[in-house]
Amino acid sequence: MKKMLVVVDMQKDFVDGSLGSKQAQLIVPAAAEKIRSFDGNIFVTYDTHDENYLQSAEGKKLPVPHCIRGTDGWKLDSSIEKALSEKDYVSVEKLTFGSVELPEIIRKAADGEDFSVELIGLCTDICVVSNALILKANFPETEISVCSSCCAGVTPQLHEAALATMKSCQINIE
């Protein structure tokens, strides 16, 4: 069985940049170790916005410019980047919370074999839950899991609420 790891939005702006948090900073070592020790296919999502972010639907509801393509905040956290430097991985730019392309990219990587998917990253209550639910909808018979110690939410309470939501949708919480 193939194993897939999805590293969600471990970008500087979400760790210690414009939308960073202490909780996000605290999970970086565990996430980096998960990547280093993972034996399988790795997919790394990048929240990606353009200079006109504040005019977008998201920007009007969250008026904090972040993850603008090509900026320092769009890049991966340095510890995550270092952990990935010794791995082959597929980068997936996404323009919103969940990637609609990710299921097809994973399907191609599986090449007809059974597989499982594990997710880690930021933010549990926005992009991790969105991608987990998209993957579960596309692969209802596949084991989808989220490593809770390698994720952080906007707040600890929202992190826990997202984990509960995913568990209710038959996503394994580890």
Side-chain angles (χ1 to χ4, degrees):
M1 174 182 298
K2 287 191 173 185
K3 295 168 77 174
M4 314 289 184
L5 177 67
V6 178
V7 180
V8 179
D9 300 357
M10 290 295 296
Q11 295 158 272
K12 291 180 181 185
D13 272 348
F14 291 126
V15 175
D16 57 10
S18 60
L19 292 173
S21 69
K22 185 68 170 168
Q23 291 84 12
Q25 293 167 34
L26 289 173
I27 65 134
V28 169
E33 180 54 33
K34 173 73 74 175
I35 292 165
R36 278 192 294 277
S37 64
F38 190 79
D39 185 22
N41 298 70
I42 300 176
F43 306 87
V44 179
T45 69
Y46 286 77
D47 193 45
T48 303
H49 302 292
D50 291 318
E51 292 295 330
N52 69 344
Y53 171 75
L54 291 175
Q55 286 73 51
S56 70
E58 180 183 327
K60 290 175 183 171
K61 293 186 179 193
L62 178 63
V64 179
H66 64 281
C67 299
I68 307 299
R69 182 185 282 111
T71 65
D72 196 51
W74 180 75
K75 296 176 184 172
L76 293 173
D77 171 84
S78 60
S79 295
I80 299 301
E81 188 174 50
K82 184 176 181 187
L84 286 165
S85 70
E86 299 173 13
K87 300 283 187 172
D88 289 326
Y89 64 94
V90 175
S91 297
V92 181
E93 288 188 21
K94 57 185 192 56
L95 306 178
T96 188
F97 310 123
S99 171
V100 295
E101 292 87 12
L102 186 58
E104 187 55 32
I105 294 167
I106 289 174
R107 189 182 324 275
K108 285 180 182 174
D111 195 28
E113 292 184 44
D114 286 340
F115 63 94
S116 62
V117 180
E118 182 174 12
L119 294 95
I120 64 173
L122 302 168
C123 293
T124 318
D125 50 308
I126 302 172
C127 295
V128 174
V129 68
S130 295
N131 284 287
L133 291 173
I134 287 170
L135 291 170
K136 191 63 177 174
N138 276 272
F139 307 118
E141 297 300 318
T142 298
E143 288 294 317
I144 310 280
S145 63
V146 172
C147 179
S148 62
S149 63
C150 292
C151 294
V154 173
T155 67
Q157 296 80 12
L158 291 173
H159 169 76
E160 291 299 326
L163 294 174
T165 296
M166 290 185 280
K167 187 174 183 181
S168 293
C169 293
Q170 300 179 357
I171 293 166
N172 301 324
I173 306 302
E174 299 173 348

